[in-house]
Amino acid sequence: MKNGDLPRYAVYGGSFDPIHLGHVAAAQAVQGALELDEVVFVPNNRNPLRRGTYATGQDRLAMIHLAIEDEEGLSLSDIEITRPGRSYTIDTIQELLMVRPGNLWFVLGADSLAGIMEWKQPERLARLCRLAVVNRPGNELNDLLNRLPEDMVDAIDVVEMAPQRASSTMIRDDIAAGRSPEAWLAPKVWDYISERGLYQL
């Protein structure tokens, strides 16, 4: 993990339903703060039987591609979309390290860090990669860190970031209500959503 000749990259997981400017800003903040060669967006699989205004895996892959295609150092993997069955972060990290050895970080928000001990093999995850925790003003991060095992805390790199108003839930709600969320989306992503009629009730 400390071999300087290996690439330094991060995995940024999530539903990205849809990807918005806040997601891209978080990836860029992590890339800059940790001096990474690349940040890889890894959208998770979603139960095809789930009801509601949600996009398919292929639509989410397409939107991420459109959002980052002109952003240097940001890339996309379909590893979880194409993997059958339920995907766990530890499985994705192990698989990526096999095909692409490197110094690896996993990106998550402070809110996700709060529940990390309920994940599959969280302490093994912290041994395989470092955790890039994106922290926004107002989060009680120190209290959270005090509740985590020492080995977990030692694997964390905190990346401070300005507040972001956008959220995927807010964007889906706006579209369903007939309001435009254009301000929170890359133009190509908004065009894609509009052309496909995504998130409409």
Side-chain angles (χ1 to χ4, degrees):
M1 290 293 293
K2 294 185 179 180
N3 188 334
D5 295 328
L6 292 174
R8 294 166 59 88
Y9 69 104
V11 167
Y12 188 2
S15 60
F16 305 113
D17 196 11
I19 185 170
H20 54 69
L21 297 179
H23 291 133
V24 176
Q28 291 170 328
V30 168
Q31 183 183 18
L34 301 179
E35 300 181 338
L36 304 181
D37 299 307
E38 190 175 6
V39 176
V40 185
F41 283 81
V42 181
N44 57 29
N45 208 345
R46 189 184 293 285
N47 186 340
L49 299 179
R50 183 172 179 177
R51 297 178 182 276
T53 53
Y54 298 99
T56 66
Q58 294 307 311
D59 279 331
R60 289 183 288 127
L61 285 169
M63 287 187 285
I64 295 170
H65 173 73
L66 291 170
I68 68 173
E69 63 180 348
D70 297 323
E71 303 294 340
E72 185 176 354
L74 304 187
S75 64
L76 171 63
S77 170
D78 66 357
I79 186 173
E80 292 196 359
I81 294 291
T82 57
R83 179 192 293 144
R86 187 169 182 180
S87 287
Y88 293 95
T89 298
I90 186 67
D91 300 331
T92 299
I93 294 298
Q94 289 179 138
E95 190 171 337
L96 285 173
L97 284 172
M98 283 193 297
V99 300
R100 188 181 177 189
N103 300 299
L104 180 57
W105 280 257
F106 181 74
V107 182
L108 68 164
D111 52 344
S112 296
L113 182 65
I116 196 169
M117 296 311 295
E118 298 173 9
W119 293 16
K120 180 181 177 181
Q121 300 180 19
E123 289 168 321
R124 175 168 171 73
L125 177 67
R127 290 194 297 271
L128 289 177
C129 67
R130 295 192 63 78
L131 305 176
V133 177
V134 178
N135 187 49
R136 296 182 176 90
N139 289 328
E140 299 296 331
L141 186 58
N142 287 337
D143 290 344
L144 175 57
L145 295 177
N146 289 335
R147 297 196 297 270
L148 293 174
E150 185 175 344
D151 289 349
M152 184 72 67
V153 174
D154 289 343
I156 291 173
D157 294 307
V158 177
V159 177
E160 299 291 345
M161 185 177 170
Q164 297 289 323
R165 290 181 57 195
S167 77
S168 295
T169 300
M170 177 192 75
I171 290 167
R172 292 196 304 269
D173 289 346
D174 279 352
I175 294 172
R179 298 186 296 269
S180 172
E182 190 172 0
W184 316 116
L185 299 167
K188 291 178 183 178
V189 173
W190 177 231
D191 288 345
Y192 185 94
I193 290 171
S194 299
E195 289 167 4
R196 295 212 164 223
L198 299 180
Y199 310 116
Q200 295 179 8
L201 292 177

